[in-house]
């Protein structure tokens, strides 16, 4: 059962001021469609399991892994069996600039199986099982070890994605020079995404033509620069909306949106609720904790 669900928004209730939560779940119950700001990882231990995430139905066999990005709508029909459900505070990842290169892992849900890549699967399975052991060890550095295991897993996934992108049949490949220039662009976006950023400026930062830069960026991140910047702004808006002292208009302006109408439209498209509804749901859930 989801404890703090208002509409489709869940506030993850971490225990004892921890920033991680792990369920050794054997309950046969359905989980309605919802989303939250946590990273979620699911691995069935006995019997298979089904998750609908981002409109896609994933059928997980025993020991297969599904990573659900923060903000992704997902649901789980009732199913007998046992599975690990792990959640962690995404702000500890997304707010660290040096980890920006890992964020494309969260562009969409990721189903990791031995058929995709056996080595990656073994790393991911070991990572989540180590996380399980660390979670229940409750030592002073348990949570540190959990995030370390998570980073090892995410790094392996991102390296696999980059290698796959480079190996795809196409008229161009992304080389090390491209990655250096894209890293420079990402740093520029991080420092300026609350301001107006043009494609011309980003292409100039990279040192490419607009056409070439757009193709490389979309291939590397699986989204356009407009989509990427909008997601950065929405993430900032989520954090600002929980502040009762800030109005919706002020949140929109601080997050880099040029108008309240644009903010409302993009926020609802990403989160399936308006900023006002999000603010009310968060406040109502916070009072019930």
């Amino acid at each position: 059962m989801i404890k703090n669900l208002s509409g489709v928004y869940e506030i993850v209730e971490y225990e004892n001021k921890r920033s991680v939560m792990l369920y050794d779940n054997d309950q046969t119950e359905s989980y309605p469609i919802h989303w939250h700001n946590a990273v979620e990882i699911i691995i069935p231990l006995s019997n298979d399991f089904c998750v609908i995430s981002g409109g896609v139905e994933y059928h997980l066999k025993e020991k297969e892994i599904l990573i659900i990005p923060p903000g992704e709508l997902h649901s789980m029909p009732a199913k007998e069996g046992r599975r690990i459900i792990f959640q962690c505070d995404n702000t500890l990842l997304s707010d660290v600039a040096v980890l920006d290169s890992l964020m494309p892992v969260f562009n969409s849900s990721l189903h990791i199986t031995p058929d995709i890549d056996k080595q990656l699967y073994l790393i991911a399975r070991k990572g989540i099982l180590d996380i399980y052991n660390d979670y229940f060890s409750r030592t002073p550095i348990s949570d540190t070890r959990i995030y370390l295991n998570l980073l090892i897993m995410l790094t392996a996934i991102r390296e696999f994605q980059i290698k796959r992108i480079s190996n795809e049949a196409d008229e161009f490949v992304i080389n090390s020079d491209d990655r250096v220039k894209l890293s420079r662009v990402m740093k520029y976006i991080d420092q300026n995404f609350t301001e107006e950023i043009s494609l011309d400026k980003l292409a100039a930062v990279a040192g490419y033509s607009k056409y070439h830069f757009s193709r490389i960026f979309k291939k590397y991140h699986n989204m356009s620069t407009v989509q990427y910047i909008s997601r950065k702004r929405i993430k900032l808006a989520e954090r600002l909306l929980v502040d009762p002292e800030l109005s919706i208009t002020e949140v929109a302006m601080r997050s880099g949106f040029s108008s309240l109408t644009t903010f409302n439209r993009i926020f609802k498209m990403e989160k399936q609720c308006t900023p006002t509804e999000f603010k009310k749901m968060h406040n109502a859930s916070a009072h019930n904790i």
Side-chain angles (χ1 to χ4, degrees), residues 9 37 91 193-194 232-257 263 267 275 278-279 282-283:
Y9 176 60
N37 289 322
T91 58
F193 72 89
T194 58
K232 295 280 289 185
R233 290 170 176 169
I234 290 295
K235 285 182 180 180
L236 174 58
E238 289 174 24
R239 296 197 293 271
L240 295 176
L241 284 168
V242 303
D243 186 342
E245 302 299 321
L246 295 179
S247 68
I248 302 297
T249 300
E250 189 170 0
V251 169
M253 296 302 107
R254 287 194 187 187
S255 301
F257 291 93
F263 176 48
F267 193 94
F278 179 94
K279 196 174 185 70
H282 184 278
N283 290 339

Side-chain angles (χ1 to χ4, degrees), residues 113-179:
T113 73
D115 293 335
I116 291 176
D117 187 273
K118 188 172 183 180
Q119 184 62 29
L120 174 63
Y121 167 73
L122 292 174
I123 292 171
R125 189 181 73 175
K126 180 180 185 301
I128 192 63
L129 295 178
D130 285 346
I131 285 171
Y132 180 95
N133 292 329
D134 287 329
Y135 185 83
F136 291 106
S137 69
R138 298 184 182 278
T139 69
I141 59 169
S142 291
D143 288 9
T144 303
R145 291 183 57 84
I146 286 171
Y147 271 93
L148 177 60
N149 284 316
L150 180 62
L151 287 175
I152 291 172
M153 188 191 315
L154 296 177
T155 300
I157 293 169
R158 189 57 188 146
E159 287 175 339
F160 167 75
Q161 291 176 331
I162 291 170
K163 183 178 179 181
R164 185 174 59 183
I165 289 169
S166 297
N167 290 339
E168 286 177 351
D170 202 344
E171 57 266 37
F172 71 92
V173 295
I174 296 175
N175 56 41
S176 58
D177 185 54
D178 293 327
R179 288 194 285 271

Side-chain angles (χ1 to χ4, degrees), residues 203-220:
V205 171
Y208 291 132
S209 69
K210 288 193 297 183
Y211 174 74
H212 189 63
F213 169 71
S214 295
R215 295 188 68 198
I216 288 180
F217 189 96
K218 189 165 187 178
K219 185 171 184 179
Y220 190 76

Side-chain angles (χ1 to χ4, degrees), residues 71-82:
E72 189 80 83
L73 282 166
H74 59 287
S75 60
M76 294 163 267
K79 185 81 172 180
E80 291 184 356
R82 178 187 171 209

Side-chain angles (χ1 to χ4, degrees), residues 189-238:
I189 292 174
D190 288 340
Q191 293 172 344
N192 298 279
F193 72 89
T194 58
E195 307 296 331
E196 184 177 349
I197 302 178
S198 68
L199 179 60
D200 288 304
K201 179 60 180 178
L202 295 179
V205 171
Y208 291 132
S209 69
K210 288 193 297 183
Y211 174 74
H212 189 63
F213 169 71
S214 295
R215 295 188 68 198
I216 288 180
F217 189 96
K218 189 165 187 178
K219 185 171 184 179
Y220 190 76
H221 289 281
N222 198 31
M223 66 176 70
S224 68
T225 56
V226 172
Q227 291 170 313
Y228 183 87
I229 293 169
S230 289
R231 288 193 177 186
K232 295 280 289 185
R233 290 170 176 169
I234 290 295
K235 285 182 180 180
L236 174 58
E238 289 174 24

